[in-house]
Amino acid sequence: MVLLPYKSAMSPMAGTTQGSFVTYKFDQSKLRGKIEYMLELKTASTDGIIFYVTEPTHKDYVTLYLNESKLHFSFVCGSISASVTSEALVNEGEWHTIEFTIDQNLGLLKVDQQTQTIRIGCSSFNIAAPYYLGGVDVPTMNTSVMTHLQGFNRTFVGCLRKFTANSVEYEKPTLSIGVVPCSSKVEA
């Protein structure tokens, strides 16, 4: 996993092993109603968990992952399950701007200028810190992640930067596991 923060004192980072990830704490009170996430990514990989957040009972969750070179945005909101898959392939080693949004009536995945949506009826949404980027804490979350992602649990290999949630930019991770500075000499 690689993380490249934008306008941050933090150095760009790259994952070194399966299970590499960073986490960010967030103020749940700022995530009422519509939840809009945005990040930029660059990869040559075909698979990997990019973003994951759940809540203590692991019923509601939000995830963005790469599978067969396409982005998959999946979530459960109350009892409503939804999934949207990008049409565009994103593993050619170029930067892509990704937006993924949930509101009461719509799930949206935008890759650069291409948008896919799904109609939903989401009356309540519950998630709790932390946000995971690049992978997940396998020892504590493997069972729920495997269920939510239908057995998919690979660390993202590539670069991530400019992560925001409802326009709040996250720069300094609260936890970093198996992550070192990113280098253009390592990544394609």
Side-chain angles (χ1 to χ4, degrees), residues 14-30:
T16 58
T17 62
Q18 175 66 16
S20 298
F21 65 89
V22 296
T23 64
Y24 294 93
K25 289 187 179 178
F26 62 92
D27 182 353
Q28 189 172 351
S29 69
K30 294 183 179 180

Side-chain angles (χ1 to χ4, degrees), residues 2 8 11 19 38 44 49 59 98 100 104 113-114 139-140 151 166:
V2 177
S8 170
S11 299
M38 191 172 87
I49 298 170
K59 291 180 182 175
I98 313 302
F100 46 114
Q104 292 183 348
Q113 300 303 315
Q114 295 182 9
T140 62
N166 287 5

Side-chain angles (χ1 to χ4, degrees), residues 35 37 51-55 57-65 72-78 80-83 102 125-128 141 144-150:
I35 301 173
Y37 299 105
F51 173 87
Y52 185 81
V53 64
T54 190
E55 44 84 31
T57 65
H58 302 288
K59 291 180 182 175
D60 286 1
Y61 69 91
V62 179
T63 188
L64 178 71
Y65 61 97
H72 297 259
F73 172 39
S74 174
F75 57 92
V76 169
C77 173
I80 306 296
S81 177
S83 183
I102 302 167
F125 195 74
N126 183 32
I127 56 173
M141 298 193 60
S144 66
V145 172
M146 294 297 276
T147 301
H148 297 161
L149 301 179
Q150 302 173 358

Side-chain angles (χ1 to χ4, degrees), residues 10-183:
M10 186 176 76
S11 299
M13 295 184 291
T16 58
T17 62
Q18 175 66 16
S20 298
F21 65 89
V22 296
T23 64
Y24 294 93
K25 289 187 179 178
F26 62 92
D27 182 353
Q28 189 172 351
S29 69
K30 294 183 179 180
L31 297 178
R32 300 287 181 227
K34 188 174 184 178
I35 301 173
E36 298 175 298
Y37 299 105
M38 191 172 87
L39 57 80
E40 292 184 359
L41 69 78
K42 177 172 80 167
T43 188
S45 181
T46 58
D47 303 291
I49 298 170
I50 297 165
F51 173 87
Y52 185 81
V53 64
T54 190
E55 44 84 31
T57 65
H58 302 288
K59 291 180 182 175
D60 286 1
Y61 69 91
V62 179
T63 188
L64 178 71
Y65 61 97
L66 184 63
N67 190 9
E68 297 180 0
S69 306
K70 292 185 177 185
L71 290 171
H72 297 259
F73 172 39
S74 174
F75 57 92
V76 169
C77 173
S79 62
I80 306 296
S81 177
S83 183
V84 178
T85 302
S86 69
E87 293 177 6
L89 303 179
V90 295
N91 67 327
E92 80 292 354
E94 300 295 324
W95 282 108
H96 296 278
T97 300
I98 313 302
E99 297 176 40
F100 46 114
T101 302
I102 302 167
D103 71 17
Q104 292 183 348
N105 299 310
L106 187 71
L108 176 139
L109 173 62
K110 185 175 182 182
V111 179
D112 300 319
Q113 300 303 315
Q114 295 182 9
T115 303
Q116 281 76 42
T117 60
I118 186 169
R119 292 266 173 221
I120 57 173
C122 181
S123 60
S124 65
F125 195 74
N126 183 32
I127 56 173
Y131 290 132
Y132 286 85
L133 271 79
V136 295
D137 187 359
V138 174
T140 62
M141 298 193 60
N142 194 35
T143 303
S144 66
V145 172
M146 294 297 276
T147 301
H148 297 161
L149 301 179
Q150 302 173 358
F152 184 83
N153 187 14
R154 292 186 187 93
T155 300
F156 177 72
V157 177
C159 296
L160 301 173
R161 67 181 182 191
K162 299 183 184 180
F163 172 62
T164 64
N166 287 5
S167 301
V168 174
E169 187 169 350
Y170 290 82
E171 296 177 355
K172 186 176 179 186
T174 50
L175 180 64
S176 177
I177 301 293
V179 177
V180 297
C182 182
S183 169

